[in-house]
Every structure is written in C-alpha cells, then in structure tokens.
Amino acid sequence: MKILLLDDHKIFGESLKVLLEERGISCTYTSSIKNFYEEVEGDYDIILLDINLKEEETGFDILDRIHDKGKKIVILTSYDMINYKRIALEKGARDFINKSLDGDDVIERLEKVYKDEKISFDGDEKIIEPLTKREEEILIEVLSGLTKKEIADKLYISERTLYNHLANIYAKLGAKNAIEAYKIALELGYIRPLM
C-alpha cells in the first residue's frame, strides 16, 4: 500500500508517516498544498487529507479538485463532526477517520479502503438536514447583535422572510432560540465558530 499524506501539523504528519512505514506501508508526507498537488499525480493507492489546513484551501476544496482522478481518498481529521463526515462522503471520500483513533485502528481502516471493503459508520449519529448557506448567514447575523429589522435590511429580505428562515433553522436543529441553534450548529459542524 502506498499513501500520500497531507497534513499541516508537522509533528502529527511525520509521526504518522513513521508509524505507517514501521508497518510496511509506504508513505509520502507533505505539509504543503503546493507540494501535494505536485505529488498527487503519482502512483498512490490512498490519499490521506486533513480538513483544516493553514493555507487557503481546506481538505474539502482539495477533495473537490482531485476526486475524479481515480484515487481512494480518506479524510483524517480532529474535526469529527457529523456534518463534516456527511460532506466528505458526499464529495467522494472513502472513509472519515478521527485523528484520536489508535494507530492500529487507523491502519485497519486504511487497509479496508485499500481492499475496497465496505466501511460501516456509526448508525447512532443523527445526520440532520443541513442548513442552507442563507440559513447559516442568517444564524450568524442574528448572533451579531443587530435587530431583526437591521438584519432583514442588510440581507435585502422582509422581516417576515427572516422569521420564516429562523423557524426553519430552529426546526432543522431542534432548537428553541438562536443561541441554542448556534450551539447545536457549531457542534455539528454546520457553521464555523464566531471570531
């Protein structure tokens, strides 16, 4: 098995490379997206991608660019959010592995991908209907401190439309108010933390 690993955390990436090579798995590691794109055309069985990279692109952006190259792509991340898993699988990733897994478990999952074995995901996770981009935008605006009228004016919608969007957001997330909706959306990975 030959693996190309992209992860911007060098200590983690270099440690995983050593672990894989100790188990007889060939691994090329890079922390640079530029170097990654130069390498990805090579003869690799599996591409391992982190989601959250320090550069402009995310692992999802890279997945979009390379999913049609016939490579088996696996997301390896510490962001083990239900929505991220759903997005990764929809974009063609073969597996979604949490970095906190034991090394043996990671290797076992990679071997399953390599052998084209079916990966079973936790069935108890509730993947709810995702928020639309507009709903994400509205939820963030509601938490910004603006009044409902100011938000409606800013987004060029009526207050009634704004309230309809909020009702949809709360229903999708099972929330009673904007704070609870934001907390749930954040935990599930539907929106990024407010800075």
Side-chain angles (χ1 to χ4, degrees):
M1 185 177 358
K2 196 172 173 189
I3 291 177
L4 173 60
L5 167 63
L6 172 63
D7 195 299
D8 61 353
H9 294 96
K10 291 184 180 179
I11 292 174
F12 176 83
E14 289 166 0
S15 300
L16 182 56
K17 174 181 167 61
V18 169
L19 174 71
L20 292 170
E21 290 181 342
E22 283 175 354
R23 305 295 175 85
I25 299 169
S26 171
C27 180
T28 300
Y29 165 66
T30 183
S31 61
S32 159
I33 292 177
K34 181 177 180 271
N35 292 346
F36 172 81
Y37 282 126
E38 291 169 5
E39 281 288 335
V40 78
E41 299 298 333
D43 185 27
Y44 293 99
D45 299 305
I46 296 175
I47 309 295
L48 265 176
L49 291 177
D50 190 7
I51 291 175
N52 191 22
L53 302 166
K54 290 183 182 117
E55 298 182 49
E56 319 253 306
E57 290 183 274
T58 68
F60 291 138
D61 297 326
I62 294 168
L63 184 55
D64 283 337
R65 287 181 62 174
I66 67 169
H67 79 278
D68 60 349
K69 294 188 181 294
K71 308 280 186 184
K72 295 174 182 173
I73 303 165
V74 173
I75 297 293
L76 181 66
T77 183
S78 55
Y79 292 89
D80 194 18
M81 299 172 181
I82 296 168
N83 191 46
Y84 282 9
K85 184 180 291 186
R86 179 187 61 78
I87 291 168
L89 299 176
E90 284 176 358
K91 289 178 177 285
R94 299 289 186 96
D95 200 354
F96 187 94
I97 301 175
N98 190 313
K99 285 182 178 178
S100 67
L101 280 181
D102 179 81
D104 290 333
D105 292 334
V106 171
I107 290 169
E108 182 182 325
R109 299 271 290 266
L110 292 173
E111 286 173 346
K112 284 185 174 185
V113 169
Y114 178 67
K115 295 174 185 172
D116 288 321
E117 292 180 17
K118 177 132 176 71
I119 309 290
S120 62
F121 297 101
D122 301 332
D124 59 341
E125 290 179 341
K126 183 184 177 195
I127 298 180
I128 61 179
E129 184 182 351
L131 299 178
T132 64
K133 293 283 181 207
R134 187 59 149 184
E135 288 168 344
E136 290 174 14
E137 182 182 21
I138 285 170
L139 183 53
I140 289 168
E141 290 295 341
V142 167
L143 295 166
S144 72
L146 296 175
T147 67
K148 301 282 194 298
K149 180 171 181 0
E150 289 170 331
I151 294 167
D153 290 344
K154 181 177 179 181
L155 299 176
Y156 303 104
I157 59 176
S158 69
E159 284 186 68
R160 182 183 184 117
T161 300
L162 177 64
Y163 281 103
N164 287 339
H165 279 302
L166 286 171
N168 288 338
I169 292 167
Y170 299 163
K172 284 181 179 182
L173 299 177
K176 296 180 185 87
N177 57 48
I179 302 295
E180 191 177 327
Y182 174 74
K183 181 176 179 269
I184 293 167
L186 188 62
E187 287 171 359
L188 295 174
Y190 287 97
I191 57 176
R192 291 197 167 99
L194 293 174
M195 297 297 169

